[in-house]
Amino acid sequence: MVDYVTDMSTIRPIIILPDPLLRLVSKPVTAFDARVQALVDDMFATMYDAPGIGLAAIQIGVTERVVTVDVSPKEDEQHPMAFINPQIIAVSDELNIHQEGCLSIPDYYEEVERPAAVRIRYHDANGQDHEMDCEGLLATCIQHEIDHLDGVLFIDHLSRLKRERVIKKFIKAAKRDCDA
Ligand code: GNR
Ligand code: NI
C-alpha cells in the first residue's frame, strides 16, 4: 500500500467538541502557494493517521476553506483528493441516509439524511478550477466536510434532543480532562 505520509508533512492534533473553533466560518483561500500545499500535505498526513475518510482544515485549527478526502476502501490504493474553496452547485432531489461519524466527535455515530448526489465546484492545490459529480459515500463525505467550513457539524442534522445529549457528554468529558 502506498503511504502518503512523508517526512515533509506533520500529523497535527485534531480539535474536539466543544472547541468553539469548530463553529467558525472558514475564509476562502486566495493564494495557491507553498503554504497551502504544506497545509494540504499536513491534512493528508493527519487524515490517514486518524484514520478518517475526510478532513476540513478547521479540524486542525486552520480557518481556511480547505478539505481533504479519500473514500477508497482501506485495502485499495490511496486516492487522495484536495478541494480548495469547494462549493455545492447542484443537489439531487433523491435523498440518502448514511451513518456518519466525525473525528472531532469521537466514537459517536448516527444516521444523517442528505442529498444522494451533489455537483461541486472547487480549486485544486494549484489553483485550477474544477467541477465534479459526487455520489454515494463521496457525496456524503464532501457535504460533511463543506458543512465544517461553515461551522456546521453532522449532529446539527439530528434532533435537538440527540444533539444536546452528545454536546453535554463532550462538555462533561472536557471538564473531566481539565480537572484530571
Ligand atoms: O472519517 C470520517 N468518516 C465519515 C463517515 C461518514 C460520513 C462522514 C465521515 S467524515 C469523517 C472524518 C471527519 O470528521 N471529517 O470531517
Ligand atoms: Ni467531521
Side-chain angles (χ1 to χ4, degrees):
M1 195 162 107
V2 184
D3 197 356
Y4 191 89
V5 181
T6 71
D7 56 0
M8 292 302 291
S9 57
T10 310
I11 296 165
R12 307 235 216 137
I14 294 174
I15 63 173
I16 303 295
L17 197 70
D19 193 318
L21 286 178
L22 290 169
R23 292 312 193 172
L24 297 181
V25 176
S26 294
K27 302 174 299 281
V29 168
T30 53
F32 296 86
D33 53 13
R35 193 191 59 85
V36 169
Q37 188 57 65
L39 172 62
V40 166
D41 286 350
D42 285 0
M43 288 176 63
F44 279 126
T46 305
M47 181 182 81
Y48 286 121
D49 175 71
I53 61 170
L55 192 73
I58 192 62
Q59 293 180 277
I60 56 168
V62 177
T63 52
E64 294 188 52
R65 303 186 79 82
V66 178
V67 161
T68 55
V69 170
D70 187 340
V71 294
S72 55
K74 278 188 198 64
E75 59 276 14
D76 290 13
E77 226 175 279
Q78 290 182 345
H79 248 285
M81 297 189 283
F83 302 96
I84 320 277
N85 303 336
Q87 279 181 290
I88 292 170
I89 56 173
V91 301
S92 62
D93 290 332
E94 192 198 334
L95 301 175
N96 183 37
I97 296 176
H98 203 284
Q99 179 167 282
E100 298 194 21
C102 182
L103 294 170
S104 297
I105 313 174
D107 304 315
Y108 182 74
Y109 305 91
E110 263 300 340
E111 290 187 336
V112 178
E113 188 175 51
R114 300 183 187 268
V118 294
R119 185 167 180 83
I120 60 165
R121 184 167 181 190
Y122 66 98
H123 290 88
D124 64 25
N126 301 313
Q128 272 219 324
D129 211 342
H130 299 272
E131 289 188 9
M132 183 188 276
D133 286 311
C134 307
E135 52 175 42
L137 183 57
L138 178 59
T140 295
C141 187
I142 198 75
Q143 290 176 81
H144 174 119
E145 302 311 337
I146 291 173
D147 270 356
H148 273 301
L149 303 182
D150 294 317
V152 175
L153 301 170
F154 84 90
I155 55 172
D156 299 336
H157 297 280
L158 308 178
S159 70
R160 197 170 109 179
L161 179 68
K162 280 185 180 171
R163 177 169 58 256
E164 286 179 354
R165 199 186 278 152
V166 63
I167 291 172
K168 223 181 211 169
K169 201 183 95 170
F170 276 82
I171 289 173
K172 274 190 181 165
K175 283 206 181 107
R176 268 199 308 278
D177 287 352
C178 193
D179 294 342

